[in-house]
Amino acid sequence: MSEDLRSGALVYHRSPRPGKLEIQATKPLGNQRDLALAYSPGVAAPCEAIAADPNMAAEYTSRQNLVAVVSNGTAVLGLGDIGPLASKPVMEGKAVLFKKFAGIDVFDIEVAEKEVERLVDVVAALEPTFGGINLEDIKAPECFEVEARLRDRMAIPVFHDDQHGTAIIVGAAVTNALNLAGKSISEVKIVASGAGAAALACLNMLVSLGARRENIWISDIEGVVYQGRTALMDRWKAVFAQDTDKRKLAEIIEGADVFLGLSAGGVLKPAMVASMARAPLILALANPTPEIMPEEAKAVRADAMICTGRSDYPNQVNNVLCFPYIFRGALDVAATTINEEMKRAAVDAIARLAREAPSDIAARAYGGEIGTFGPESLIPSPFDPRLILRIAPAVARAAMETGVAKRPIGDWDAYTEQLSRFVFRSGFIMKPLFTQAKDDARRVIYADGEDERVLRAAQVALEEGIAVPILVGRPAVIEARCQRYGLSLRPGKDLEVINPEDDPRYRDYVATFVERAGRRGITPDAARALVRTSTTVIAAVAVVRGDADAMICGLEGRFQSKLRLIRDIIGVSPGVRDLSAMTLVITSKGNYFLADTHVRANPSAEEIAENAVLCAEHVERFGITPKIALVCHSDFGEADTASAVKMREALGLIRQRAPQLEVDGEMQGDTALSQLVRERKLPSSRLTGEANLLIMPNIDAANVAYQFSKVLADALPIGPILIGPARPAHVLTSSVTARGVVNMTALAVVEAQAQQAR
């Protein structure tokens, strides 16, 4: 871990409040009657109902959507036995993944107990509270015993993700790799390096899928696992002991079809890879350094298929691919356990998804670069929005078919629709843009290059590889501030700096500025002064001249003055009337795009129609199908005020210009966000579900809605996103955070990529 990442992680976990979780009420408590319903005396009614029928707890409490993430801190990441208290950030992180990916609530529980029997007693006593138990970071071999005993004692799912999550993804990868190679799992030779909880669970899963134990070989820190060995042996490992005189990994790897590495970096040598069977599968899953780097393996075996645990290589084996969705399916049918059939159903669902053609929306979100099924795409991306739609129903069906579901699903269409509504509420809306930005990083120039937020964002952009930053600012000031903030950026070495006080391109920039804005009141004398003093002018001219691909400004100064400079220097795209702005707000309820939040004060019907079509194109860039509502105070002809008539006219223009768009209006805000309300008012509306792109009648409505969402809904804003400039340019606001600058950097890079592709 770099010092910059370490420092950033500490700030992230400390501010603006410690930790990553909070508890929120889901019911109103606005008056005395609410209080009487929520607590005494009203709460007695559900208590009595549950006492009479324990199954009613799923109807009247949050238990059926509540999971415990439990650890004793004995095997935390690569840190080892650091204790339960030090493991808490990891368990909170796991809780966040459950919530973000599958909508599951979590309490993290860190238990100061290493003795198996007492740890089992503690966890088993929690059964009345939870719908499921996720065991985490408990060392082997104790973890096997703890899970086995808990599964025997508890009537809710108990799942040790370190074992089974990895095993399920490995099972899918092996299934697809053997499919491509034309091999049978019952015939292949499998060699494992490492014999911890994850490795043994993977091997047991492969046996469950049809592999034969006599074809499985293990090597660990003591060498080959053979019959008669006593050092570091246990009953779970002994199952795979071979009757052999071979003692080293190099001796057993020859002719292997599958290598499973869950051990240490560098243990698999190129010569070993060269001795493997044709079209070998190499699962080098040690982190952060795999057992062999993919490029080393490819150098000796071009036909090798390779998976790692790293996000910077194809085929990442990441447990988040499955554990949230396995629990989602198990909880939704009130399963009493997660059995082998449910795990195999998850394997099959993941493998099948990798073989599906990428959806149009997902392809657009990733810039059309989603790989089709093949050696570089054996398993889906952890951020594929279809994962929950495939895995959760498969697990739920398997639970029902094996008789462990207490609340079987009756209406599968309704269940699928319920899952679909959750897909784009995960909070990971920026992930596709970051992925696409990394594929072809572009030069982004920051006008406010001396600002701490920009410096921190530039550091992230370099570390993550999403952009090539260019800072406008004084090198000495930038260097001093980097030292003050503990950043490792080195102006002139790690990134380019344009010094307003002394840049060799000064005369050329002045000439370009006069050429672009001479007919907009900029005289040569004014141009010479502004190219020395206005960092926004410098950034905009750099983009026009091709010295940068996109620009970001606005952290300091007035929004409208920055906007005018962009309009004068960069201009608007051909066919676009004027610039406009859209802001994305990410809330716990969903992701919403609002327009026009910052630019056009009172747009005409024609301008609203143009803006809606342009905004829809940007929404699709996020991998989201736009659902557009033209919002005002009136519902479908209810009033004939100027704003209502304007929005009504805009609807007709949009349908003429872009008939493929799902759009309706005019309508009120609650009508836009609730299909139930909309069906009561206009059953024939062409808008389905919940609108995600809200076009407002004027800047006041849009900006007030945006500002309220930040404060009242604790929304994370992204933007404003400037719509319509001839080249990618964005004017942020003074309230933007470093995180916001990073998000806009990724967006600007993707825009630059798209512009060049036209």
Side-chain angles (χ1 to χ4, degrees), residues 181-336:
K183 300 178 181 180
S184 169
I185 192 169
S186 64
E187 301 299 327
V188 295
K189 179 180 179 180
I190 300 168
V191 174
S193 174
L200 292 176
C202 289
L203 295 177
N204 285 323
M205 172 57 73
L206 296 180
V207 170
S208 178
L209 294 173
R212 296 192 302 198
R213 293 186 189 275
E214 59 264 32
N215 292 339
I216 297 175
W217 299 71
I218 299 178
S219 175
D220 62 10
I221 196 170
E222 287 289 330
V224 173
V225 174
Y226 60 90
Q227 291 180 10
R229 196 181 104 172
T230 57
L232 286 182
M233 291 296 290
D234 54 59
R235 62 187 177 94
W236 297 277
K237 193 186 302 185
V239 171
F240 295 99
Q242 291 277 9
D243 183 7
T244 180
D245 58 0
K246 297 176 180 179
R247 296 295 183 263
K248 295 181 180 179
L249 176 61
E251 297 177 86
I252 61 174
I253 193 69
E254 184 176 355
D257 298 278
V258 177
F259 170 82
L260 173 63
L262 284 153
S263 52
V267 303
L268 184 64
K269 307 302 181 185
M272 300 181 192
V273 174
S275 72
M276 294 179 72
R278 69 170 182 84
L281 172 63
I282 298 171
L283 295 142
L285 307 184
N287 262 330
T289 305
E291 283 79 2
I292 188 169
M293 297 301 291
E295 53 270 23
E296 291 181 281
K298 284 287 189 181
V300 294
R301 289 299 298 270
D303 62 338
M305 294 173 277
I306 305 170
C307 300
T308 71
R310 292 171 51 142
S311 61
D312 52 347
Y313 288 100
N315 294 322
Q316 182 193 13
V317 174
N318 186 331
N319 287 13
V320 81
L321 265 168
C322 67
F323 74 79
Y325 316 121
I326 290 172
F327 268 94
R328 181 73 279 156
L331 293 174
D332 289 340
V333 295
T336 57

Side-chain angles (χ1 to χ4, degrees), residues 9 21 30 65 106 162 180 198 343-344 354 361 374-375 424 433 462 478 493 515 519 588 734:
L21 301 172
N65 195 53
V106 169
D162 297 334
L180 286 172
K343 288 186 279 186
R344 284 201 300 269
I361 290 296
F424 293 111
L433 276 76
L462 281 172
I478 291 173
K493 294 181 180 180
E515 177 187 345
R519 294 184 178 274
S588 60
S734 59

Side-chain angles (χ1 to χ4, degrees), residues 68 79 81 137 142 206 213 235 240 307 314 367 393-394 431 480 492 645 653 726 736:
L79 304 175
D81 185 356
D137 292 349
E142 288 88 340
L206 296 180
R213 293 186 189 275
R235 62 187 177 94
F240 295 99
C307 300
K431 179 61 181 177
V645 171
L653 294 171
V736 72

Side-chain angles (χ1 to χ4, degrees), residues 1 23 61 85 180 246 307 387 431 463 511 514 544 569:
M1 184 189 304
I23 296 173
T61 75
L85 184 59
L180 286 172
K246 297 176 180 179
C307 300
L387 283 165
K431 179 61 181 177
E463 286 185 350
V514 172
V544 168
I569 300 170

